[in-house]
Amino acid sequence: MDLQELRKRIDALDNELLALLNERMGHVKTVGELKRSQKTVIYRPEREKQILDRLSKINDGLLSRSAIEAIFLEIFAVSRNLELPERIAYLGPEGSFTHQAAESRFGGMSEYLVLPTIHSIFDAVETGRARFGVVPLENNQEGMVGETVDLLREKEIHIAAEVLLSIHFGFASQSDSLTNIRRIYSKDIAFRQCSTFLREYFEDNRVELIPVESTSKAAKLAFAEPESAAICSHIAARLYGVPVLFDNIGNSDQNRTRFLIISKDFQNQKSQADKTTIIANLPNTNKPGVLFDFLKDFYDRGINLTKIESRPLRQGSSFRYWFFVEFEGHYEDEKVREILKKYGSLMKVLGSYVRIS
């Protein structure tokens, strides 16, 4: 079979795919009408996971699980826009890793609200200016984002889903020769996380490292200045049209950031793999045994705690804390309900959602 014949067959398959996708979207539109009439939620992460799990299980072709997810997450995003377009707020600027995380779940067609601070995202969601917000929670190299954790306690906001994003920095420049580069722009954290690359490639060169407020700003400057470069995300380089000369230049190829999708009033149905996040306002945390007794309640019920992070209470002059807690399971599980009932108003349930990390 020659190349021309192969191309004809691919074209025929593409025609079939288009017809099938349009047929799927017709059913999606009908589902959207039913959901609107019944006033039910459009975004259902647990349903999307069920579909991905089923497709991965029956898959016997060349597509990997990650490839199936990449294709169908975009299909899901287009489907949701047909059902009911919803505005999503994310931490800007455009081209940030939070932007990338938002697009990975809501697609390129959604209506986005680009905001400058994490606090402004919580405000937009709380006031209804945005249906969902996307905020960073933690990085496995740098730790927790304190502002996000604190606002989850302060605001009446729920967690709808989590997104785990591999953070790959690219080295982008208009110049095709490293010897011509005189300035490199990026965030200070990006310089730290790409220090090995910088040391190996620019140790003997007179290159100025200039911190800026975002990797997106770095890409914008690199586009405007031919003798400069940016350490930035791929989405930022694409957005500003700066060629990526080197890919994945970070010190670790395991650099990952976890993002949360937040909403004002959102509850997930149970899936086969859930995670629950709560705020624990334990009394008398400066006395022995308080935290131990709390943790033992989970141990005695066989509930696996995946994270516990202490935060300052900021009341009075003593050192007292509240706790950000995550565990496997759904808040409607009988064993979880026993703990929530025991502690009552001392516990704030932020949400149960499909476990990714």
Side-chain angles (χ1 to χ4, degrees), residues 146-147 149-151 153-154 311-322:
E147 185 179 2
V149 178
D150 291 343
L151 286 167
R153 180 175 181 264
E154 295 169 14
R311 299 293 297 168
L313 191 58
R314 298 190 179 119
Q315 292 179 358
S317 59
S318 62
F319 291 87
R320 297 174 59 200
Y321 304 91
W322 57 272

Side-chain angles (χ1 to χ4, degrees), residues 7-53:
R7 286 175 173 170
K8 286 182 179 179
R9 293 197 174 191
I10 291 173
D11 287 345
L13 288 170
D14 287 342
N15 294 343
E16 291 182 36
L17 284 172
L18 180 61
L20 289 171
L21 286 171
N22 275 315
E23 183 179 351
R24 187 187 196 281
M25 295 307 163
H27 293 305
V28 163
K29 188 175 181 181
T30 303
V31 168
E33 292 168 354
L34 287 172
K35 285 183 177 180
R36 283 193 293 274
S37 66
Q38 298 170 2
K39 297 182 179 179
T40 56
V41 178
I42 297 295
Y43 183 40
R44 281 297 183 192
E46 79 281 355
R47 167 61 177 157
E48 294 180 359
K49 183 180 184 301
Q50 289 173 1
I51 295 173
L52 292 172
D53 288 345

Side-chain angles (χ1 to χ4, degrees), residues 12 19 24 36 66-67 79 82 109 117 120 185 206 229 232 238 248 263 266 271 327 336:
R24 187 187 196 281
R36 283 193 293 274
S66 60
S79 299
L82 279 178
M109 292 178 58
T117 65
S120 63
Y185 297 101
R206 294 182 179 179
C232 61
R238 185 188 72 206
N248 298 342
S263 185
F266 191 96
S271 74
F327 54 87
V336 177

